[in-house]
Amino acid sequence: MFPSVLLIFWIVGIVSEVLILEEMVSSIDNVRGLTLAISSSAFIGSSFVIKKVGLKKAGDSGVRAGSGGYSYLYEPLWWLGMITMILGEIANFAAYAFAPAVLVTPLGALSIIVSAVLAHFVLKEKLHMFGVVGCILCVVGSIGIVLHAPKEREIDSMNEIWHLATEPGFIVYSCMAVVAVLFLIFWVVERSGHRKMLVYIAICSTMGSLTVISVKAVAIALKLSFSGSNQFIYIQTWFFIVVVIICCLVQLNYLNKALDSFNTAVVSPVYYVMFTILTIVANMIMYKDSFSRNATQIATQLCGFVTIVAGTFLLHKTRDMGNAPQPPPPDETCLDGEGVRPGHQ
């Protein structure tokens, strides 16, 4: 864990120096957001593995989370993972107050590297050489996005955020997201959720895009309040806080199900890609950051994101290379649709 964290912070230092010396960042706020976002990835990536260990131990003595059980709530390791994730989310929360989501969200790819490396050593989920190449691609793509990050839009009050959130485009996106999540939860999960990882991740990712928008609104409200302009006198601020709480609870529940049922090295990159795509779309619809940049900046960030997607795809496709196959009992079907799954002891 510690070598991975040290590596992450080393990358933070190098990239920050490049950004400052070559004046490729439009404001000091982007540097602060960058540092917070990468620190967040180190904590969140570690939390995936710690929670997985806790879920495994809880599953040995109670009903597994993937089967609807909640015995993990009595497992100290799971709570340690939760605390680590909370620390990461706090750093991520703060990052959105300083930098645009188009910069902060893609840097979540670094959490994939941390979780993949730790899963290799702690969970014995072997990372193949191609997986290492995938990690490198994630880093390269992240740096490309960082170097061409847009300047954050100036927000002066919660009323301005509320105006952006109530424009027709974002209202349509929000309604479609909520309807899609309800359909997945009440119709698809009962029929195929126990067999298809993408169902769980789609729920988490769709709710996650709304979480990011709401978190960014609350973070901006806090930033303005600390500057002397209290934003918590507005009902809109509390509305966004409620949305954050609801979305986080839904994400937590279905992310636990996905982690308990599938390989961590698979859940992390697939969740990242789907979550990032939906978050960037939601951010573009609401804040319209893309309209303030030239074609070169947009193309470079798209290339960076495609590079990250290629890296996560490579991690996903090589997840089982180097792992010795284990003959499972015939009464358990594989949850990812590729054969059969080993039963837990």
Side-chain angles (χ1 to χ4, degrees), residues 102 145 148 150 284 289-305:
V102 177
I145 288 174
H148 294 84
M284 289 173 61
D289 288 331
S290 59
F291 299 120
S292 63
R293 292 179 286 164
N294 59 44
T296 302
Q297 290 175 312
I298 295 174
T300 303
Q301 282 212 302
L302 284 175
C303 289
F305 181 67

Side-chain angles (χ1 to χ4, degrees), residues 74-119:
Y74 301 98
E75 176 55 50
L77 272 178
W78 184 85
W79 283 107
L80 177 61
M82 274 300 300
I83 292 172
T84 306
M85 177 169 279
I86 290 170
L87 291 174
E89 292 298 346
I90 290 173
N92 198 46
F93 183 94
Y96 282 111
F98 294 102
V102 177
L103 168 62
V104 176
T105 303
L107 290 179
L110 298 180
S111 68
I112 297 173
I113 299 174
V114 175
S115 64
V117 171
L118 290 180

Side-chain angles (χ1 to χ4, degrees), residues 78-289:
W78 184 85
W79 283 107
L80 177 61
M82 274 300 300
I83 292 172
T84 306
M85 177 169 279
I86 290 170
L87 291 174
E89 292 298 346
I90 290 173
N92 198 46
F93 183 94
Y96 282 111
F98 294 102
V102 177
L103 168 62
V104 176
T105 303
L107 290 179
L110 298 180
S111 68
I112 297 173
I113 299 174
V114 175
S115 64
V117 171
L118 290 180
H120 176 83
F121 291 105
V122 177
L123 301 176
K124 307 304 178 184
E125 297 175 357
K126 299 301 181 182
L127 186 63
H128 191 266
M129 181 57 67
F130 287 117
V132 176
V133 174
C135 290
I136 294 173
L137 288 175
C138 289
V139 173
V140 172
S142 297
I143 291 175
I145 288 174
V146 168
L147 294 180
H148 294 84
K151 183 179 179 179
E152 172 72 320
R153 177 174 184 160
E154 292 293 333
I155 302 291
D156 297 324
S157 68
M158 180 55 64
N159 287 330
E160 185 176 350
I161 299 176
W162 185 252
H163 173 72
L164 293 172
T166 53
E167 289 187 349
F170 188 71
I171 289 178
V172 170
Y173 174 84
S174 300
C175 291
M176 290 177 61
V178 171
V179 170
V181 168
L182 292 176
F183 174 74
L184 290 172
I185 291 175
F186 294 107
W187 181 263
V188 181
V189 166
E190 292 184 359
R191 290 161 175 78
S192 59
H194 64 289
R195 290 184 289 108
K196 296 182 180 179
M197 177 185 67
L198 288 179
V199 177
Y200 293 141
I201 295 181
I203 294 171
C204 294
S205 302
T206 305
M207 295 300 286
S209 66
L210 299 179
T211 303
V212 167
I213 293 296
S214 301
V215 162
K216 187 172 179 64
V218 176
I220 291 174
L222 283 170
K223 182 180 177 182
L224 292 173
S225 297
F226 286 135
S227 300
S229 177
N230 186 11
Q231 300 298 306
F232 288 87
I233 60 175
Y234 301 111
I235 189 65
Q236 294 94 327
T237 303
W238 295 101
F239 172 81
F240 282 119
I241 292 174
V242 171
V243 172
V244 169
I245 293 172
I246 294 174
C247 291
C248 285
L249 289 175
V250 174
Q251 282 180 262
L252 178 63
N253 183 39
Y254 286 95
L255 183 58
N256 278 332
K257 292 178 182 293
L259 281 173
D260 186 57
S261 303
F262 301 95
N263 193 322
T264 308
V266 182
V267 173
S268 182
V270 175
Y271 174 50
Y272 163 76
V273 171
M274 192 177 295
F275 168 74
T276 302
I277 291 174
L278 291 176
T279 298
I280 290 178
V281 169
N283 187 77
M284 289 173 61
I285 292 173
M286 180 168 172
Y287 290 101
K288 302 177 178 64
D289 288 331

